[in-house]
């Protein structure tokens, strides 16, 4: 059975993919998170005022996502399958440390695909590395999340399953 952190991470990723609006009402916890957000270095340069700013803050503060090397997060850019898998794997495999990128053969996409393969997740980039940096569809992301929970749903069925879990 999946623990609460895994379910919460999966739901957060689905939320980002489905572009749900963020609640406008601030709570005490939201205000505390904003204080913590200001202490992060470096702060992404392109999320201030974005409708998903609070989700991005949460994703970065919890270590689910990190953003890009140029200090951007690119919140309006489509997420690739490789980025999605990395965000899905980060909390479960403690992938928060930066790898040694001095190796000229280093490819950041390899580790999430190795982990996805070991967990039998239906990622297209496992057998076809050239598609790793292509945008992932909502149904493909939902299928991978359902598979991470030990279920085999595809397309709209996978999305419907996850939407039912979000209630």
């Amino acid at each position: 059975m999946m623990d609460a952190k895994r379910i919460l991470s999966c739901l957060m990723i689905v939320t980002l993919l489905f572009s749900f609006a963020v609640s406008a009402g601030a709570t005490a916890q939201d205000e505390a998170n904003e204080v913590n957000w200001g202490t992060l270095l470096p702060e992404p340069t392109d999320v201030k005022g974005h409708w998903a700013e609070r989700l991005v803050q949460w994703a970065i503060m919890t270590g689910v996502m990190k953003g890009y090397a140029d200090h951007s997060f690119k919140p309006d850019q489509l997420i690739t399958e490789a980025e999605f898998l990395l965000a899905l794997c980060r909390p479960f495999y403690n992938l928060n440390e930066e790898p040694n990128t001095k190796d000229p053969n280093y490819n950041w996409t390899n580790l999430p695909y190795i982990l996805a393969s070991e967990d039998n997740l239906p990622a297209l980039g496992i057998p076809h590395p050239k598609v790793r940096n292509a945008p992932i569809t909502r149904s493909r992301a939902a299928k991978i999340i359902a598979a991470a929970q030990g279920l085999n749903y595809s397309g709209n069925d996978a999305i419907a399953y996850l939407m039912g879990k979000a209630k």
Side-chain angles (χ1 to χ4, degrees):
M1 185 132 205
M2 294 182 55
D3 62 20
K5 185 175 181 182
R6 189 171 197 170
I7 291 171
L8 182 60
S9 296
C10 290
L11 291 176
M12 185 278 183
I13 292 167
V14 170
T15 301
L16 284 174
L17 289 173
F18 284 99
S19 304
F20 288 136
V22 177
S23 172
T27 65
Q29 183 61 45
D30 290 335
E31 291 171 9
N33 287 344
E34 287 179 15
V35 172
N36 292 337
W37 177 245
T39 63
L40 290 177
L41 295 173
E43 184 176 329
T45 58
D46 57 351
V47 297
K48 187 75 174 160
H50 192 275
W51 70 263
E53 182 177 3
R54 290 188 193 273
L55 289 173
V56 172
Q57 291 171 351
W58 178 87
I60 291 173
M61 286 190 300
T62 59
V64 172
M65 301 178 108
K66 290 190 178 218
Y68 293 91
D70 66 354
H71 308 293
S72 67
F73 194 85
K74 302 178 184 174
D76 293 317
Q77 180 174 295
L78 296 175
I79 188 168
T80 67
E81 185 181 73
E83 293 167 332
F84 173 79
L85 280 178
L86 184 59
L88 185 65
C89 291
R90 247 190 200 123
F92 313 126
Y93 297 99
N94 197 21
L95 301 180
N96 290 322
E97 293 183 20
E98 294 299 320
N100 181 358
T101 57
K102 293 178 183 173
D103 178 0
N105 297 319
Y106 172 76
N107 183 337
W108 69 270
T109 66
N110 288 341
L111 182 58
Y113 281 96
I114 290 169
L115 297 171
S117 178
E118 290 173 357
D119 288 343
N120 294 316
L121 300 181
L124 294 177
I126 294 172
H128 307 289
K130 290 185 179 184
V131 302
R132 292 179 177 184
N133 290 318
I136 189 169
T137 64
R138 291 178 182 150
S139 61
R140 170 65 49 188
K143 181 176 182 164
I144 291 171
I145 292 170
Q149 297 178 353
L151 301 168
N152 184 16
Y153 288 111
S154 294
N156 288 337
D157 291 336
I159 293 169
Y161 166 75
L162 292 178
M163 295 303 293
K165 287 294 213 181
K167 291 181 181 179

